[in-house]
Amino acid sequence: MKKNTYSVLLTAVLAILLCSAAVAQEVHTITLSVNTAEIESTNTSTTCSFGQARDITNENFTLNVKVGDIIIWKGVSSNAPDTDVVNITAINHEGGANVFNKNILRGNNQVPEVVTGVVVQGAPGSVEKYNISFKVLNNGSKRRGTFHIDPKIQIRPN
């Protein structure tokens, strides 16, 4: 009788672990690679990339997430990673339903600066627009301006 009880208990524990793993949140780290020597406000489409295929523009880059997922946006220099810094300063909701708990997600004020957000809502299949704001430091000197790219987030079913 005791053996059967332990067997049932073990089966229940395994079932719980498997179910929790199936609905566990996922962490997505989105890395924006920037040619920090050449970027200007007019050429972000050619000096920046999320590592997507060449035929997908930055504006059409789409991150597929589920409600509960965590997204971390970070930037790196593609040409001078040892001396130049890309600071992601904000993520701004632009269009569609807002999947985050606020319209603007701010950076963490570290160097390099990153932004973290949690997807709190969204209809499966919906595509939402957001804007990434970032600044560049060339060997410690601020490059003029704040740069922007506006990719998409698509909600997938849990």
Side-chain angles (χ1 to χ4, degrees), residues 8-9 20 24-26 28 31 34 42-43 47-48 54 64 77-78 103 113 115 118 137-138 143 145 147 149:
V8 170
L9 183 60
S20 65
Q25 66 189 18
E26 199 174 328
H28 304 269
T31 303
V34 179
T42 57
N43 70 358
T47 57
C48 300
R54 288 190 179 273
N64 292 296
S77 172
S78 60
N103 285 330
E113 192 165 7
V115 175
V118 177
L137 298 174
N138 297 115
R143 192 168 188 97
F147 305 98
I149 292 183

Side-chain angles (χ1 to χ4, degrees), residues 21-89:
V23 295
Q25 66 189 18
E26 199 174 328
V27 176
H28 304 269
T29 301
I30 305 304
T31 303
L32 177 63
S33 182
V34 179
N35 181 333
T36 53
E38 296 182 12
I39 189 166
E40 299 291 337
S41 61
T42 57
N43 70 358
T44 56
S45 62
T46 59
T47 57
C48 300
S49 169
F50 296 103
Q52 73 272 26
R54 288 190 179 273
D55 61 336
I56 300 173
T57 65
N58 291 328
E59 291 77 18
N60 286 323
F61 173 77
T62 304
L63 174 61
N64 292 296
V65 298
K66 297 179 294 195
V67 172
D69 284 359
I70 298 169
I71 306 171
I72 301 168
W73 290 271
K74 69 177 191 172
V76 296
S77 172
S78 60
N79 58 292
D82 294 332
T83 58
D84 291 359
V85 175
V86 177
N87 287 317
I88 307 294
T89 57

Side-chain angles (χ1 to χ4, degrees), residues 6 14 20 22 33 35 38 42 51 70 73 85 91-92 109 111 133 148 150-152 158:
Y6 291 123
L14 286 173
S20 65
S33 182
N35 181 333
E38 296 182 12
T42 57
I70 298 169
W73 290 271
V85 175
I91 305 299
N92 299 305
N109 293 317
V111 176
S133 299
H148 306 280
D150 57 345
K152 303 171 187 173
N158 279 337

